[in-house]
Amino acid sequence: MAAEGIELELKYRVTDAAAAARLAAARAIGPFRAAGRARIVHVEDRYLDTADGALGRAGWAVRLRQGPATTIVSVKSTTVAADALHRREELEGPAGPSLDPHAWSPSPARSLVLEHAGNAPLVEIVTIRQQRRVRTLADASAEVELSLDDVAVVVDGPVVERFIELEAELRRGPASALDVLAAVFAGDPDLVPERASKLERALVTAAAARSDRRTKALASAASRLSSIPPGAPVAPAPTTGAAWAPLESPVVEIPAPPRLIVGKTPGVTPDDVLAEAGRKVLRFHYARMLAKEAGTRTGEQSEDLHGMRVATRRMRAAWRVFGDGFRPRRTKRLRDRLRVVAGRLGAVRDLDVLLEAAATHQAGLPPVEAAAFERLVATWRDEREAARIVLLRELDSPAYIRLVEDYRAFVVAEGEAALAPASSVSPHRVRDTAGSRIWLAYEQVRAYESVLRWADIETVHQLRIAAKWLRYTLEFFREALGPEVDLLIPRVVALQDHLGWLHDADVTIALTRQFLVANAGTLSREETHAIGSYLAGREHELARLRRTIGASWRGVSGISFRRLLGRAVSGL
């Protein structure tokens, strides 16, 4: 007989829908007779793991099955079957819709998940919906639940594959009862022994579907490029990124999109109409975004993700500087979706910065203190991996694919969504409008002069944002301005960098303090000391950065900067 906690079942692919109907209606299969009528059950299975696949590596698959009234968590071993017979350990318990196992009712299944996942958040890796036709078969010594499952694999909303699977699970009696059924099924030409689990099959299908969808969308985008403006030819990207495939499923390569060649400058001139100058800037940074996408997907170099994030930031800034040259309703979807992508990139990059600083600190500690400090670093690392999974899902989503296609069409189509000047004498060229935009950006920075000495952290953070917009505005118009701009931008960068370090220190302090409070009951004395010392060090660094802000501030607020800025703008 099957031991408690062990699932024994036969699994077959059903190659013909008529065969499925025949098996569902059969009153007897071999020596087994149907006990009662078949019932139809609709279920949705969400498979979960940590961002780094900790449960899969440990040999477990975690499934939340939502039925009409209850949600059950099942934890099954992921051993590969040699034939149709699957023997797996299985634990079950009550759960809810939440992905946080701490919110589930206590059960052996929940305990096993927490044992391997720890405090790392769970993420959904694939969804399977099923209509199951279930009936009980019995003979004198055994009882078997026969289920014909109409399976739908769902990826980002649409169903990407359907298949029918037959399962015969031993409910009562000796394991030899399944041998009898296996002998009967072996003579049925419409049944093929299935060695893989539904999860393994769904993961492969999902990865392939995302790859195919992306390829088709990019081909459609390429077909719309009947002409490319000078300086922005199309060239194939040389690298690819891999879709995430936990539980040892095959990795499917996702082709990177054709990309616009990254030029050295946007090419803005004083005589450009404002909207077309903005289109040049958007095209320049859009090309840079695409150039960094493949590396962002693979994750081999953190600088690729950083570069992609910077490109999205510049594009969002360009909409702020040039946006009034375009019809807002025609461009709203591009701007809104770009904000989402930038947010996903920023969530990962911010944790990269946090981890880089923590790793530098840890490398300088004695071995015992470094080991104690690891608890904090491991938590941030888990959060970073969870954020990366969310980012990869975004890059694989239909919405992102549409964004890539629509942005490409927009940045190469001169006049698209541009507003016509109110009259022939309305300011509408770069030489007419850049000066007021640059001075406005500078005024927003200088306005902090009266409060900077007493400013709280939030106010300093707002100054950092204002400095960033000033820098971007100068960079966007750089080619149209006088040569003095090359002396201005480094001063703004120095202020922005100083404020950025201050901001990073403040965020680190908040997150470290939050970790110490949340884990106060579980940290050892050594861990508390090591992490507390790091917190104190960052607080000292924050105080130092606040004291020394004056030098970089004077570089931007002084009269020499304003004189240089005036001469640079006069070049228009």
Side-chain angles (χ1 to χ4, degrees):
M1 299 181 65
E4 184 177 357
I6 299 295
E7 178 188 62
L8 281 178
E9 66 179 359
L10 299 169
K11 295 173 69 70
Y12 296 89
R13 280 176 294 164
V14 183
T15 60
D16 183 73
R22 169 174 55 80
L23 290 164
R27 297 191 176 187
I29 298 178
F32 290 86
R33 299 192 66 82
R37 301 181 64 179
R39 64 186 188 278
I40 296 179
V41 180
H42 295 270
V43 295
E44 180 178 270
D45 295 336
R46 293 185 294 163
Y47 287 89
L48 314 177
D49 204 337
T50 61
D52 62 352
L55 288 153
R57 290 198 309 273
W60 298 101
V62 179
R63 180 189 72 195
L64 281 185
R65 170 164 287 179
Q66 186 169 349
T70 61
T71 300
I72 300 295
V73 57
S74 299
V75 184
K76 300 185 181 186
S77 60
T78 56
T79 53
V80 179
D83 50 27
L85 180 63
H86 291 244
R87 180 188 299 269
R88 297 182 292 188
E89 295 181 66
E90 180 180 29
L91 298 173
E92 289 190 338
S98 172
L99 301 189
D100 182 3
H102 295 90
W104 305 339
S105 299
S107 69
R110 174 180 178 267
S111 297
L112 192 148
V113 171
L114 291 173
E115 176 186 343
H116 292 286
N119 291 324
L122 299 182
V123 295
E124 185 178 318
I125 56 177
V126 75
T127 297
I128 299 175
R129 296 177 186 151
Q130 301 180 71
Q131 176 180 282
R132 313 191 80 203
R133 288 175 286 179
V134 183
R135 69 191 315 173
T136 300
L137 302 177
D139 68 0
S141 61
E143 185 177 283
V144 175
E145 182 179 86
L146 188 74
S147 176
L148 277 156
D149 301 338
D150 184 353
V151 182
V153 179
V154 180
V155 177
D156 302 323
V159 174
V160 298
E161 185 187 23
R162 302 193 80 102
F163 58 88
I164 301 174
E165 189 169 283
L166 171 69
E167 293 183 355
E169 181 179 353
L170 182 65
R171 290 296 193 184
R172 177 180 58 82
S176 58
L178 292 183
D179 295 335
V180 175
L181 275 177
V184 176
F185 291 147
D188 192 324
D190 295 314
L191 299 180
V192 179
E194 179 59 80
R195 296 176 57 196
S197 69
K198 289 173 184 171
L199 171 60
E200 291 163 337
R201 182 168 178 177
L203 285 172
V204 175
T205 300
R210 288 187 175 110
S211 174
D212 181 63
R213 184 185 302 163
R214 183 173 183 80
T215 301
K216 290 179 179 178
L218 293 171
S220 174
S223 69
R224 295 171 61 178
L225 301 178
S226 57
S227 63
I228 301 296
V234 174
T239 56
T240 60
W244 185 62
L247 304 180
E248 304 301 324
S249 61
V251 173
V252 177
E253 294 294 319
I254 299 179
R259 59 181 175 86
L260 298 172
I261 291 178
V262 181
K264 292 183 178 180
T265 62
V268 172
T269 70
D271 291 321
D272 282 336
V273 174
L274 184 68
E276 297 316 309
R279 200 185 311 274
K280 286 181 177 181
V281 173
L282 288 167
R283 182 166 63 240
F284 177 77
H285 292 292
Y286 169 79
R288 289 192 162 192
M289 183 189 81
L290 291 188
K292 298 296 183 180
E293 183 185 334
T296 298
R297 287 177 174 278
T298 63
E300 294 175 359
Q301 297 289 336
S302 62
E303 286 307 308
D304 287 324
L305 183 142
H306 175 54
M308 189 173 182
R309 184 198 188 190
V310 168
T312 58
R313 275 185 166 183
R314 297 294 203 282
M315 292 165 70
R316 293 191 67 200
W319 282 113
R320 175 171 172 164
V321 174
F322 300 101
D324 58 356
F326 297 99
R327 300 182 185 277
R329 291 186 179 181
R330 295 275 297 277
T331 59
K332 183 178 185 301
R333 187 165 58 82
L334 293 176
R335 292 181 278 115
D336 289 349
R337 195 65 213 174
L338 183 64
R339 183 175 65 250
V340 174
V341 175
R344 302 288 191 235
L345 290 163
V348 182
R349 177 58 188 171
D350 289 346
L351 284 161
D352 278 343
V353 173
L354 203 68
L355 285 166
E356 287 168 8
T360 300
H361 172 79
Q362 188 177 31
L365 295 176
V368 174
E369 291 185 34
F373 187 68
E374 176 62 24
R375 177 84 174 268
L376 175 65
V377 177
T379 297
W380 288 347
R381 193 180 297 122
D382 289 341
E383 292 175 3
R384 191 264 183 196
E385 289 307 311
R388 175 169 161 76
I389 292 302
V390 173
L391 169 61
L392 292 179
R393 286 184 177 181
E394 175 64 35
L395 298 183
D396 285 335
S397 70
Y400 178 76
I401 293 171
R402 286 195 300 271
L403 176 70
V404 169
E405 178 182 352
D406 293 347
Y407 243 102
R408 182 183 296 276
F410 176 80
V411 299
V412 300
E414 186 173 349
E416 174 68 19
L419 283 170
S423 72
S424 60
V425 295
S426 297
H428 62 279
R429 296 177 301 170
V430 167
R431 68 169 68 255
D432 307 327
T433 60
S436 59
R437 294 168 196 272
I438 293 168
W439 278 110
L440 176 60
Y442 178 68
E443 289 166 1
Q444 290 174 335
V445 171
R446 197 181 177 202
Y448 286 85
E449 187 170 40
S450 61
V451 301
L452 186 58
R453 182 175 298 179
W454 303 278
D456 58 14
I457 291 296
E458 179 57 30
T459 302
V460 172
H461 177 57
Q462 295 303 317
L463 170 59
R464 172 174 168 258
I465 294 173
K468 179 171 61 177
W469 292 125
L470 173 59
R471 172 188 176 179
Y472 292 168
T473 305
L474 289 171
E475 289 178 343
F476 294 159
F477 293 116
R478 186 173 196 158
E479 296 162 276
L481 298 173
E484 294 81 5
V485 69
D486 293 329
L487 301 175
L488 294 168
I489 291 176
R491 296 191 188 189
V492 182
V493 170
L495 175 62
Q496 184 186 347
D497 285 347
H498 191 104
L499 297 172
W501 298 329
L502 194 151
H503 175 70
D504 292 342
D506 181 58
V507 170
T508 303
I509 289 167
L511 293 178
T512 306
R513 186 179 291 122
Q514 176 184 323
F515 177 86
L516 286 168
V517 172
N519 296 276
T522 63
L523 293 173
S524 68
R525 180 180 300 176
E526 292 78 11
E527 289 171 332
T528 301
H529 174 74
I531 298 170
S533 296
Y534 184 60
L535 173 60
R538 298 308 294 166
E539 288 174 335
H540 286 308
E541 176 66 7
L542 178 63
R544 185 192 69 80
L545 288 167
R546 295 193 69 174
R547 287 195 309 270
T548 57
I549 196 173
S552 57
W553 169 252
R554 287 190 294 272
V556 172
S557 64
I559 190 170
S560 64
F561 186 93
R562 296 195 295 277
R563 285 173 174 168
L564 286 170
L565 184 59
R567 289 200 291 269
V569 172
S570 69
L572 292 168

